[in-house]
Amino acid sequence: MAACEKIAANAGKCDRMKKTKKQVTQMKYALINGVILDGSKDMRPQTGKTVLVDGGKIAAIVPESAGISGFMPIDLKGKYLMPGLVNMHVHLAGNGKPQKKQRDNEALVKTIMASGLTRAVAYKMVKDFAKLELLSGVTTIRTVGGLGNFDTRLRDDIAAGRAAGPRILASNQGISVPGGHMAGSVAIAAHSPEEALSILAQAEAQGVDLVKLMITGGVLDAKEKGVPGELKMPPELVRAVCDKAHKDGYTVAAHVESSEGVKVALQNGVDSIEHGAKPDAEMLALFKARGAFLCTTISPALPYALFDRSVSNASGVEQYNGNVVFEGIIDCAKAALANDIPVVLGNDVGCPWITQYDFWRELFYFHKYVGVSNAFALHTATQNAASCAGLGDVTGAVREGLCADLIVTKDDPLADLRALRHVDLVMANGRLYDAPRFKTNAVVSRELDRYLILFSD
């Protein structure tokens, strides 16, 4: 089953959304006097057209001279109209605040989930983080490890109009192994294939849209130089989960940060590789044979690889391994594109230095370090991501019949992706959020902005 072919259940509708501050009742809109960037691979600016929105969908794209009777005009005044962004790797439980030392995430989550009161506080936090994604221009997210059943619960609350946020494809908690990546926090440790299948059954009962495996360790799990992404999950466990998930109609995403891990994942049925590692011919052939896609995540490795340790608070081992992972992710993305393997983008939000409102930086890094054009970066984070997520007939482009998931920027992102930093308007399922504003972390912005310089600048 090719990963890009599954239509994600429970998340593919133009859902109702509750009226909130900065949001108006769903209406019929005519978006006029804008420059359209449609999300296609080789998109070019389109002018002289009006986008008509009705019932949460793009009803039509007509000549500017056409009548718009019955539609409320919104004059974009020459600004740039494009599809809302699709963030394919999100952990809704994190805020990206820098840490001076590693915290015990397992103990923290155990405390958070210990009582009804703390769970309620945590769920509100998750809702607020999801709204940040939306207000920053992300209209669809794919969660790959969260607290309890919060992700599916929030997905349904947004769909029913009880919360404001992006469309969510939810995995809830991932499946890890004892001592494995995120075990005890946003993943549950399975001691055997049978136990993993029991965890999978629990996730299916919660109504997840996809399944997440933590196959290798990560940068912070490694205790020695040169061994990030150590294989943790036995191949037979990977195979058991993938076989059952596929039988039940689910795709499987896997956290992998080593070449060995990527191969084990693809050989045993994983549909998407999250992060990636230094590629070789065997790995690329496995991607092709499996029909899998790569979710590139440059953002979380960058601070560990490139920041001065006095800023990142990383140890020498963590910085060394961060650089291994950083270079491996970039090399994997380059090789995937060169071999026509689908690539999407996620920023692994929730990791230190990676906030819920900074997904636009991942597009910039993709352009800067992988070397793609600005147009291709936008396409990757819109139309292509929607297609790989199984939502190509729902969102991801400025096209008649799709949901009205749109953003507007003053400046042209085809000229400079930094234009996405300030979004003037967000429309999600036809609901309008005008001039969205939110608080940002000044320290995070200051340090990450140092890497917003292109090699050609």
Side-chain angles (χ1 to χ4, degrees), residues 152-194:
T152 50
R153 178 181 166 191
L154 180 56
R155 175 201 65 197
D156 295 344
D157 280 348
I158 291 170
R162 295 185 293 266
R167 175 184 293 100
I168 297 178
L169 298 178
S171 71
N172 288 346
Q173 290 177 285
I175 302 174
S176 190
V177 293
H181 191 63
M182 305 307 289
S185 58
V186 298
I188 304 172
H191 295 77
S192 66
E194 293 74 22

Side-chain angles (χ1 to χ4, degrees), residues 23 56 121 128 133 137 143 164 199 237 247 257 270 331 374 381:
Q23 184 180 351
V121 171
D128 290 344
E133 290 276 345
T143 69
I199 298 169
L237 194 154
K247 181 180 179 181
E257 291 186 349
V270 163
D331 289 346
N374 290 344

